[in-house]
Amino acid sequence: MLHLRLITPSDRTDAVVRLIEGTVGTAHLAVLPGAARNPVGDIVLVDVAREAGDELISGLCDLEIDKSGSIAVENIDLSLSKRAEKAEYDAPGEGVDAVLWEQLAEATHEESTLSVTYLAFITLATMIAACGVVLDNAILVVGAMAVGPEFGPLAGLSTALVRLRPRLALRSLVALLVGFAVAMAVTVLFSLLMDGLGLFTEARLEGDRPNTAFVYAPDAFSFVVAVLAGIAGTLSLTSAKSGLLVGVAISVTTVPAASNAAVALSYGDTAQTIGSTNQLLLNLLGITVAGTLTLLTQKYLWAKQRQRQRQRQR
């Protein structure tokens, strides 16, 4: 269940209440006339089944409550109510399959913003991965993959393509391009420093690395895994199962490929630099394509489900 807290102008409260009462899957409606002070208006509280949430939020946006008032949405962890059970039973579909498009757009907007924290995480992840590829240490590589924040902008790009939001697309591209450029540039300097300290050597980079050689040798499996991870990551976002993103992060060779390219560049190894860069681009493309197609499929299937539900109600 979701809990909605609305601030509505007094002249639109009746329309909001009618919309809520006409939405299948709502419960616990409460109206507090004149309770809001900033902005001035009424407060409307309601619980709604997750699978009916997107329809209700879209209707509220059509009434321009997001512009003239406020729409706040919270997840309800526990609701002991027969009315809530009935609302979930009456609502079409399953809550885990529902996509809250406004919530997704807001989440990906935040995750795809180029910030100091984002740059710090992606740079640290790339530097950790650099240690992993030079030492041929799979544990360090996996750890770096888990730290990397690059799935946020990739999900933002997929969402922007489906929702036709050019600003989100531009924001996501800037975060990806600038983020990896800064991370790789810093890792080149880090590699030179480590070489000067005798901790990195060209012989280690060029030697036999059975655990990490895959990061500069892209093949068909690289794209296949990226596509599968892109599907899993998108589903984890839309179903609110964000914990699964860690598994997605350690499935795709983005950060390790960037780190290997940076270390190879510091030693002038053109072959490994190009191979790692190709691996990086292939994975980024695979995740973006998979994420976009997954969202389009979810959008289509959910629209068909709503259509069947309306036909049954008639």
Side-chain angles (χ1 to χ4, degrees):
M1 294 287 288
L2 302 172
H3 177 69
L4 272 64
R5 185 183 71 253
L6 314 173
I7 296 179
T8 67
S10 298
D11 59 347
R12 298 189 189 181
T13 300
D14 289 341
V16 169
V17 171
R18 285 196 298 271
L19 172 64
I20 293 173
E21 291 178 337
T23 301
V24 177
T26 59
H28 311 144
L29 173 62
V31 180
L32 306 177
R37 293 292 180 267
N38 183 21
V40 174
D42 304 330
I43 292 180
V44 179
L45 307 174
V46 65
D47 295 342
V48 59
R50 180 180 173 85
E51 50 269 42
D54 186 64
E55 182 179 4
L56 178 56
I57 293 171
S58 297
L60 292 170
C61 290
D62 290 340
L63 292 174
E64 297 187 340
I65 302 303
D66 56 325
K67 297 178 182 178
S68 59
S70 169
I71 303 173
V73 182
E74 300 173 335
N75 286 308
I76 300 177
D77 295 327
L78 177 63
S79 179
L80 302 178
S81 166
K82 290 293 183 181
R83 291 181 180 275
E85 291 179 6
K86 186 178 185 303
E88 291 186 319
Y89 177 80
D90 293 339
E94 296 293 333
V96 71
D97 296 331
V99 180
L100 299 178
W101 291 102
E102 292 298 331
Q103 185 184 57
L104 179 63
E106 182 66 24
T108 52
H109 177 276
E110 181 179 347
E111 293 295 326
S112 61
T113 300
L114 184 66
S115 62
V116 174
T117 301
Y118 172 83
L119 287 176
F121 273 119
I122 196 168
T123 300
L124 289 170
T126 307
M127 293 166 68
I128 293 171
C131 296
V133 296
V134 171
L135 298 174
D136 195 35
N137 188 315
I139 295 176
L140 290 177
V141 171
V142 170
M145 291 162 121
V147 172
E150 72 279 4
F151 188 81
L154 290 170
L157 183 57
S158 296
T159 302
L161 293 174
V162 174
R163 300 287 286 171
L164 301 178
R165 298 196 175 185
R167 289 187 178 180
L168 179 57
L170 179 60
R171 185 188 305 272
S172 301
L173 283 173
V174 168
L176 280 173
L177 297 177
V178 175
F180 273 112
V182 170
M184 293 172 71
V186 173
T187 302
V188 168
L189 298 176
F190 174 71
S191 177
L192 293 173
L193 174 63
M194 295 292 279
D195 180 78
L197 296 174
L199 298 175
F200 281 9
T201 63
E202 187 173 4
R204 279 183 165 177
L205 181 71
E206 302 295 341
D208 185 27
R209 289 189 285 145
N211 293 320
T212 57
F214 66 92
V215 300
Y216 61 87
D219 54 21
F221 281 106
S222 300
F223 188 75
V224 170
V225 172
V227 168
L228 296 175
I231 295 172
T234 303
L235 289 175
S236 71
L237 284 177
T238 57
S239 64
K241 294 183 180 295
S242 57
L244 298 180
L245 285 178
V246 175
V248 172
I250 61 177
S251 301
V252 189
T253 318
T254 47
V255 166
S259 67
N260 196 83
V263 176
L265 183 62
S266 70
Y267 285 114
D269 187 333
T270 305
Q272 283 202 40
T273 301
I274 294 175
S276 300
T277 302
N278 289 338
Q279 176 80 277
L280 172 62
L281 296 176
L282 193 64
N283 278 272
L284 295 177
L285 176 63
I287 294 174
T288 303
V289 170
T292 303
L293 293 178
T294 300
L295 290 175
L296 287 172
T297 301
Q298 288 181 289
K299 185 178 181 180
Y300 171 78
L301 292 177
W302 194 252
K304 295 292 289 185
Q305 190 172 45
R306 277 186 177 178
Q307 186 179 8
R308 288 195 298 270
Q309 178 69 16
R310 292 192 182 101
Q311 290 174 349
R312 284 197 295 267
Q313 290 174 349
R314 292 173 185 173

